[in-house]
Amino acid sequence: MRDEQREGRTPQSVRRRELLTMPVALACGSAALTGCDATLQARGAMTATPTPGPEREVPVTPPEDLMREHGVLKRVLLIYREGVRRIEAGERVPAGPLHAGAGIISTFIEQYHEQLEERYVFPPLVKAGKLTDVVPVLILQHRRGRVLTGRILGATARPTSQVARRGLAADLTAFVRMYEPHEAREDTVVFPAMREVIPPGQFADLAETFEDEEHRRFGPAGFTGVVGQVADIEKALGIYDLNQFTPRG
């Protein structure tokens, strides 16, 4: 028997993780338990359940904030697609839901989200010489989108004639076709590049600026309230149930 075993010491080959999982008597060796106080205290300290402290709110980063706002845009694009489907099928134009969806595009996307991009996102990129070929296109698409939104709001504010139906369907389709690649390019290229050109301290301040502006414009509910409005439109159109988009078989 090795000396360290005769003296009741834990062999050096026994690692701390193994010691914590051993029965106390085995971990202490063959010696009396009176010499195990230090072992027990260490074991208790290392395995004790930590006392929960006050919950810390995890801040939403500026790119995350902008990307989740794109989620609102995507859901309105689905509303527009449903409108186009019904028009092309000869069904009644869902003017109310389409008008409400275009209203969210106007107030939440164009007057708020895109203004944040044009004020806080695009200028630092251009100043740093990054994405100088992409940013002008994005700004132009913002402008063209506002023209389309104005026409959609006008066409859905009153009964639509047969000619107006065709024009409305064309504008809805054009908006969807432009904004799907628009928001995808921003999510995958523009927003990730923000971290490369905006200093960390300013990046953190920007998150506060975005949040303050969100609640100033949309009240205490902010983003959550807008999502609720979109959900109401989806329910009115019968496209709220996510399961209906699942392929069968």
Side-chain angles (χ1 to χ4, degrees), residues 22-96:
M22 287 182 179
V24 174
L26 180 58
C28 293
S30 57
L33 293 181
T34 55
C36 287
D37 289 345
T39 301
L40 290 171
Q41 291 173 2
R43 178 173 178 176
M46 297 179 68
T47 60
T49 302
T51 302
E55 292 186 3
R56 294 180 58 187
E57 182 177 353
V58 179
V60 177
T61 65
E64 180 186 357
D65 209 351
L66 294 168
M67 287 179 183
R68 69 178 186 173
E69 288 164 9
H70 274 176
V72 171
L73 170 61
K74 291 175 184 177
R75 290 176 70 168
V76 177
L77 295 184
L78 290 174
I79 290 169
Y80 280 8
R81 283 185 179 279
E82 176 63 14
V84 171
R85 186 196 67 77
R86 294 190 184 192
I87 293 171
E88 292 181 344
E91 300 179 18
R92 184 179 64 84
V93 176

Side-chain angles (χ1 to χ4, degrees), residues 30-246:
S30 57
L33 293 181
T34 55
C36 287
D37 289 345
T39 301
L40 290 171
Q41 291 173 2
R43 178 173 178 176
M46 297 179 68
T47 60
T49 302
T51 302
E55 292 186 3
R56 294 180 58 187
E57 182 177 353
V58 179
V60 177
T61 65
E64 180 186 357
D65 209 351
L66 294 168
M67 287 179 183
R68 69 178 186 173
E69 288 164 9
H70 274 176
V72 171
L73 170 61
K74 291 175 184 177
R75 290 176 70 168
V76 177
L77 295 184
L78 290 174
I79 290 169
Y80 280 8
R81 283 185 179 279
E82 176 63 14
V84 171
R85 186 196 67 77
R86 294 190 184 192
I87 293 171
E88 292 181 344
E91 300 179 18
R92 184 179 64 84
V93 176
L98 289 175
H99 191 80
I104 291 174
I105 291 292
S106 177
T107 58
F108 187 73
I109 298 301
E110 296 172 347
Q111 298 176 35
Y112 166 65
H113 171 87
E114 291 179 351
Q115 293 299 320
L116 294 181
E117 293 176 338
E118 294 180 10
R119 182 174 180 181
Y120 298 106
V121 180
F122 298 161
L125 291 170
V126 173
K127 183 178 180 180
K130 290 183 175 292
L131 304 178
T132 55
D133 58 333
V134 175
V135 169
V137 177
L138 297 174
I139 294 174
L140 175 61
Q141 290 180 341
H142 285 177
R143 294 171 182 165
R144 296 284 170 81
R146 290 164 195 153
V147 173
L148 291 172
T149 297
R151 294 209 295 254
I152 293 169
L153 285 169
T156 55
R158 55 186 180 274
T160 52
S161 64
Q162 192 63 32
V163 174
R165 287 169 62 97
R166 290 195 296 270
L168 174 58
D171 285 341
L172 293 170
T173 300
F175 193 94
V176 172
R177 184 176 184 274
M178 180 173 68
Y179 267 95
E180 284 183 335
H182 178 100
E183 62 86 17
R185 189 67 58 91
E186 288 184 336
D187 285 348
T188 58
V189 177
V190 177
F191 298 159
M194 291 174 62
R195 289 186 178 274
E196 301 176 15
V197 300
I198 300 177
Q202 185 179 344
F203 199 78
D205 292 340
L206 196 57
E208 295 291 336
T209 299
F210 283 9
E211 183 177 3
D212 291 344
E213 184 65 12
E214 174 187 316
H215 291 292
R216 185 184 74 81
R217 287 175 177 261
F218 304 104
F223 168 79
T224 304
V226 176
V227 171
Q229 294 175 34
V230 174
D232 288 341
I233 300 171
E234 293 169 336
K235 291 174 183 177
L237 289 172
I239 60 171
Y240 177 75
D241 183 8
L242 187 61
N243 190 54
Q244 73 190 84
F245 298 100
T246 307

